[in-house]
Amino acid sequence: MSEQRADIGLVGLAVMGQNLVLNMTDHGFSVAVYNRTGAVTEEFMAGPAAGRRVTGHHDLATLVAALERPRRVMLMVKAGAAVDAVIDELVPLLERGDVIIDGGNSNHLDSSRRSRALREAGLLYVGTGVSGGEEGARTGPSIMPGGHAEAWPLVRDVLQAIAAKVDGAPCCEWMGEDGAGHFVKMVHNGIEYGDMQLIAEAYDLLATVGGLDAAALAALFARWNEGVLDSYLVEITARIFEHVEPDGEALVEKILDSAGQKGTGKWTAVDALNLGVPLTLIAEAVFARYLSARTDERAAASSVLAGPPGAQRPDARELEVDLEQALYAAKIASYAQGFMLLRAAAEEFAWHLDYRAVARIWRGGCIIRSRFLNDIAAAYEADPDLANLLVVPFFARALKAAQGGWRRSVTRAVAAGVPLPAMGAALAFYDGYRRARLPANLIQAQRDFFGAHTYERLDRPRGQHFHTDWTGHGGKTTSGTYEA
């Protein structure tokens, strides 16, 4: 093995890195590995990698020397400064045409910066999102590569081989230029935040208002997973409710109600604000995690702040049917917002995103995989320039059929004092998007009143701006118009 050069190098042997190496060797690739802490490399070589086509190295120079040309080095290290540090150490060791693949959860702006810097250095760069967690990395994740297009033919064989497969097609396609791959992965994670929050809200309403215990919840989510809500997250939710402690109590009820996060949901919300996209559901999901983390404040407030009087318990079957519709409708709204953000980013950064391909590679391997994504892929296949998923006849009909249960679910929650920030935000977005006229005319009048910000008129061509002297003693000077 020492005389043979490896097909690819991998830096970073945490759980994801180790599982990707094992996945690569399962598909016939030889891998050279390095970890900053040498003991981790030795443990991996003596354990999971034993007997496989893997060589361990204690510095980057020997790892690079062990690779076939053009060299391919994949980084699975912590996003941020750690990625830059490894790249800085690799650059002088590599030659023109070699490829660096960043497979961590890097911010797309960092990926675009690295893409430009490595092109100037004569090296090729791929920034790729990898979704699916530990299990996906081992058995087949969803992979979202972007960066230098000329690098794609050099890495395609490895990435598509190790990716999940749906209907024989790999859940890995080229996403676009510079930071496009990591942007798509970021939006995936934002949608993941939304899906998880929606499911948690349904659980809260079912338990608080419907009185369902863990066993009943497990059966209900398992049944939901056989219909339009068929997805990985609904499937594992049913399994979570089935897990019982030795004392007979469900484990989920013993877990502290403080949700953690690693930042990709926040990045999604921030990018939506920067790009002017109404990503309300995902933003509320992020804020809900922030609120959950304030456990001591909430505990103190619970003894001070009053809620509504006890609501009458609804018919269990009616509650379950309505919530299934509400979850499905809110999910449609969430994905519509996510693809709106992808479209805005493509326009802003001049990326050539294939939205059908995005939907297709999310069908397997990743956390948000679901039957529902087949319908999204079909929508973009029929119209690649689709403005919004909500107006696709298939989804418009689905929303019309589901909105009764959606509205009743939100109404029940409001009456019972159960917060549904994501589900409610999705309904408000739907109602706002379907309105031909919103009350923003009053906001523009207010802005013009106190700040002379001007307004447009319905009876004048778009682009003409007007100012009114509302008080009778104002001037004609205006502040101009711009979008912050």
Side-chain angles (χ1 to χ4, degrees), residues 178-428:
D178 295 329
H182 276 131
F183 193 93
V184 171
K185 174 58 162 58
M186 179 196 74
V187 174
H188 164 282
N189 284 24
I191 292 172
E192 177 186 311
Y193 273 59
D195 277 357
M196 294 171 73
Q197 179 63 28
L198 289 171
I199 290 170
E201 291 173 12
Y203 150 62
D204 194 7
L205 194 58
L206 288 163
T208 304
V209 176
L212 275 68
D213 61 14
L217 289 165
L220 176 60
F221 275 87
R223 189 164 66 250
W224 279 354
N225 197 49
E226 296 173 355
V228 293
L229 295 176
D230 174 15
S231 66
Y232 172 73
L233 284 170
V234 169
E235 175 192 344
I236 67 168
T237 299
R239 293 171 61 185
I240 288 168
F241 285 126
E242 291 172 349
H243 198 102
V244 178
E245 291 279 87
D247 63 2
E249 187 175 353
L251 172 59
V252 69
E253 300 301 339
K254 295 187 176 184
I255 296 175
L256 180 68
D257 58 324
S258 177
Q261 53 187 310
K262 290 189 174 181
T264 48
K266 180 181 74 173
W267 292 350
T268 311
V270 169
D271 273 304
L273 288 169
N274 288 334
L275 293 170
V277 178
L279 203 78
T280 54
L281 188 151
I282 292 170
E284 286 292 350
V286 174
F287 288 134
R289 293 198 188 190
Y290 288 146
L291 181 59
S292 77
R294 296 175 177 263
T295 52
D296 293 339
E297 287 184 49
R298 290 188 291 107
S302 68
S303 62
V304 177
L305 301 177
Q312 183 177 359
R313 179 166 293 181
D315 174 78
R317 179 59 181 162
E318 182 180 310
L319 175 65
E320 294 168 9
V321 170
D322 283 350
L323 258 179
E324 182 178 22
Q325 294 176 342
L327 265 177
Y328 183 47
K331 189 180 180 76
I332 294 172
S334 178
Y335 281 70
Q337 291 181 4
F339 277 86
M340 287 171 69
L341 181 57
L342 289 174
R343 185 181 180 90
E347 293 175 359
E348 175 72 15
F349 302 116
W351 294 335
H352 297 85
L353 294 182
D354 182 341
Y355 307 110
R356 173 179 174 270
V358 172
R360 284 175 60 83
I361 66 172
W362 285 351
R363 294 181 305 160
C366 66
I367 303 303
I368 65 170
R369 61 185 184 265
S370 65
R371 176 196 303 181
F372 172 78
L373 284 156
N374 285 313
D375 301 319
I376 295 179
Y380 280 107
E381 184 172 13
D383 182 2
D385 297 320
L386 180 64
N388 195 298
L389 284 169
L390 296 186
V391 299
V392 174
F394 174 87
F395 291 115
R397 288 193 299 270
L399 288 165
K400 181 179 181 181
Q403 70 169 306
W406 195 5
R407 295 184 189 283
R408 285 190 294 273
S409 295
V410 173
T411 300
R412 286 192 190 99
V414 171
V418 175
L420 298 186
M423 199 174 294
L427 181 57

